[in-house]
Amino acid sequence: MKYRRLSNEELKELENEFIEFLSANTITGNDWEKLKSDNPEKVNALIEQFSDIVLQKVLEKIKYLELRTPYDWKVFHCGKANISMIGLSISEFSELDLTKQITTADLSESGAEIYSGEKAYQGERESEIFGMLDIGCSIASPQVFEMMKKLMES
């Protein structure tokens, strides 16, 4: 398995897509019921294969991620060959919390430090994005990255 198995709730939401997947693998509804009782290993393998296909498609669409802690905020642009990052950090003694709603005035008063970097993916793009999501990154909007870019330029 490349990523992770979809949860039962996620599989329920994708029931129609899963039925199409089974159909593409020439597995009818009756075949599926028989497999569930006779061959749980194959059932598990099919669910894992479907999970990887779904997650691969989702990961391919991700362009921006962010990771926030109370004292550090990183925003990533996930390009095709490399990933760009703009980060913002404040002192751990600051009363400001970067996980909450903040203004640019708050940032200038806090003595925030802004930094950036860029690197090529070490492995497959989608695997790295999956790893970043696994450690706590969340999907971000392009506007968040552009706002951080403007902060960096000012």
Side-chain angles (χ1 to χ4, degrees):
M1 172 158 246
K2 190 172 181 178
Y3 301 114
R4 70 168 175 82
R5 183 184 170 119
L6 294 173
S7 69
N8 287 338
E9 183 178 294
E10 290 166 326
L11 286 168
K12 261 190 181 158
E13 289 181 31
L14 296 167
E15 183 176 3
N16 291 336
E17 291 83 353
F18 187 62
I19 291 169
E20 287 176 28
F21 168 78
L22 291 174
S23 178
N25 285 285
T26 64
I27 298 171
T28 65
N30 290 337
D31 294 338
W32 180 246
E33 291 305 317
K34 187 168 171 43
L35 273 175
K36 287 194 307 189
S37 61
D38 295 349
N39 195 345
E41 297 85 22
K42 181 160 183 165
V43 166
N44 192 45
L46 286 165
I47 291 172
E48 288 179 356
Q49 183 182 6
F50 177 73
S51 296
D52 277 345
I53 291 168
V54 168
L55 290 170
Q56 180 73 26
K57 286 180 182 179
V58 168
L59 293 165
E60 287 171 357
K61 293 178 183 178
I62 293 175
K63 303 283 189 243
Y64 298 93
L65 294 172
E66 69 179 319
L67 182 63
R68 287 187 185 213
T69 68
Y71 308 110
D72 196 55
W73 181 12
K74 293 180 180 99
V75 182
F76 304 91
H77 175 245
C78 307
K80 290 185 182 198
N82 55 38
I83 188 162
S84 304
M85 180 268 306
I86 300 174
L88 184 75
S89 65
I90 57 173
S91 165
E92 63 184 62
F93 302 109
S94 173
E95 292 182 20
L96 197 59
D97 180 346
L98 295 177
T99 61
K100 309 243 188 283
Q101 189 76 12
I102 54 171
T103 66
T104 51
D106 292 334
L107 290 174
S108 53
E109 290 173 14
S110 72
E113 179 185 333
I114 195 156
Y115 54 94
S116 66
E118 185 172 294
K119 74 170 188 98
Y121 296 108
Q122 302 300 310
E124 184 184 277
R125 176 189 182 276
E126 287 71 27
S127 294
E128 284 202 37
I129 291 172
F130 180 77
M132 293 173 73
L133 290 166
D134 205 34
I135 63 163
C137 284
S138 58
I139 298 172
S141 70
Q143 292 82 3
V144 173
F145 189 82
E146 289 304 315
M147 181 208 59
M148 291 285 263
K149 200 169 165 183
K150 285 180 184 170
L151 281 173
M152 181 146 206
E153 293 167 354
S154 61

